[in-house]
Amino acid sequence: MAENVAVNGSRRLTPQEIADRLRERIRAGELRPGDRLPTQAELAEEFGVERGTVRQAVRALQEDGLLANVSKGSPPRIAAPAPARGEPQPTMVGLAPRLTEAFSARRVRVDVVCHTAETLMVAIGEPLRLIHEGRLHPESIDVRILVPSRDIELAFPVAVEAHGDDNPVHQRWLAMRNAQGQVLRHNLLALRSTHGIDVRVTFRALPFTPPMKLYVLNGEETLFGYYMLTRRAEEWGSQTLDMYDALGSQSLLFSFVKRAGHRDAAFVEESQKWFDALWETITTDLTLS
């Protein structure tokens, strides 16, 4: 078989060689998470090859999980590093890079089931920082969050010993739920005036205590983790509250990614359907008060 030779007589690079060179730039930090990959035309000119060769190289990077926002009408972005398969990460560690990748899409949708918005409020700071730096450019952001209603008797947190009609453990949880949700909503809605992004943030109240936290990102990835209960004491006003509670930031998150033919695809699709159905059963938006 004749060797692939350019017009000037030099050997043309293969798709694998181009992919390897781009991987090296990613490893060296020349291309960082959130950065746009050069266009196919730019890469074809740089490497002196046809666009078809570049497309094959880009496809190889995509299959390695190194690219995000592929086939959305603009050059793909460098994906945030994903946790290794079979190695779930604590929520506070694993959520931020997955959100960063999700926010590289033109239209961002984040659906959440949680006990409070604390972990999401902290983790979303990274994609917001990249937006303010001009490295991420979503056109719209739609965040829907399901949290427990203030009117139910929570499964957790609960006091180790009953306090009669007075329930400072519930009061503490409610104050945290509202304050964290308000901060999250404010930080996201601020993108309307600062960057002209169409942003919606909606809370609705669950009639039960969710035993797990769930994040569905752009309908393409599901992050799932069970709350692990522990006994702990917390200061609240002038009291020390002895309670059974969950440390959500330490819950292990398992990632399920929707890929054609992959066994995780069905789980992601069913997670989205389950969330949508649950969302539609609760018709009133929550005011966080």
Side-chain angles (χ1 to χ4, degrees):
M1 181 179 295
E3 186 177 36
N4 190 12
V5 179
V7 174
N8 62 8
S10 62
R11 188 180 70 84
R12 286 178 175 169
L13 295 174
T14 67
Q16 185 61 49
E17 289 170 328
I18 294 173
D20 287 342
R21 294 193 183 189
L22 293 173
R23 286 191 192 93
E24 183 55 38
R25 293 179 190 179
I26 295 171
R27 282 193 291 267
E30 297 175 28
L31 291 171
R32 297 183 296 176
D35 287 349
R36 287 189 184 276
L37 191 70
T39 66
Q40 291 184 10
E42 290 169 339
L43 292 172
E45 181 178 356
E46 176 185 351
F47 293 114
V49 297
E50 302 294 331
R51 290 196 188 186
T53 303
V54 171
R55 280 195 293 272
Q56 293 179 56
V58 170
R59 191 176 302 118
L61 296 179
Q62 179 187 359
E63 291 173 353
D64 289 346
L66 297 175
L67 299 180
N69 199 32
V70 179
S71 300
K72 296 184 183 290
S74 60
R77 296 182 181 275
I78 307 304
R85 281 287 173 189
E87 297 182 12
Q89 300 291 310
T91 304
M92 196 63 80
V93 175
L95 183 57
R98 310 314 306 151
L99 283 172
T100 298
E101 180 172 342
F103 270 66
S104 68
R106 290 176 58 203
R107 300 187 179 277
V108 179
R109 187 179 74 245
V110 178
D111 293 330
V112 183
V113 177
C114 58
H115 205 244
T116 71
E118 179 181 14
T119 304
L120 180 62
M121 177 190 70
V122 174
I124 214 164
E126 178 62 13
L128 293 184
R129 179 182 68 81
L130 294 174
I131 290 173
H132 289 305
E133 290 180 357
R135 295 175 57 196
L136 293 179
H137 305 274
E139 295 178 1
S140 66
I141 300 172
D142 187 7
V143 179
R144 302 186 297 176
I145 304 171
L146 289 167
V147 291
S149 168
R150 65 179 298 159
D151 299 323
I152 66 172
E153 184 174 344
L154 292 171
F156 60 89
V158 292
V160 173
E161 296 184 3
H163 289 263
D165 293 335
D166 181 34
N167 190 345
V169 171
H170 186 89
Q171 294 169 10
R172 173 183 176 274
W173 164 81
L174 181 60
M176 292 175 60
R177 186 204 73 171
N178 291 344
Q180 293 159 1
Q182 289 166 1
V183 170
L184 175 68
R185 175 183 281 162
H186 170 79
N187 291 344
L188 283 165
L189 293 181
L191 296 174
R192 289 177 176 175
S193 58
T194 59
H195 292 78
I197 301 173
D198 179 20
V199 180
R200 290 184 297 172
V201 184
T202 312
F203 287 81
R204 290 184 180 175
L206 290 169
F208 60 88
T209 307
M212 81 303 179
K213 54 175 53 187
L214 177 76
Y215 305 89
V216 186
L217 309 180
N218 296 333
E220 297 294 329
E221 180 176 18
T222 293
L223 300 170
F224 177 92
Y226 287 106
Y227 285 111
M228 302 300 292
L229 298 183
T230 185
R231 179 173 177 173
R232 63 194 184 105
E234 289 288 344
E235 298 297 324
W236 177 248
S238 60
Q239 305 177 70
T240 299
L241 303 180
D242 190 15
M243 69 184 87
Y244 295 108
D245 196 8
L247 299 177
S249 63
Q250 298 178 16
S251 300
L252 292 181
L253 271 188
F254 295 82
S255 172
F256 301 84
V257 180
K258 184 177 179 180
R259 296 192 181 99
H262 197 278
R263 57 190 173 88
D264 288 354
F267 183 81
V268 177
E269 292 173 357
E270 290 303 315
S271 298
Q272 187 67 71
K273 290 178 182 177
W274 178 81
F275 182 94
D276 290 341
L278 186 58
W279 183 264
E280 292 303 319
T281 66
I282 306 169
T283 57
T284 304
D285 294 344
L286 184 62
T287 59
L288 294 174
S289 61

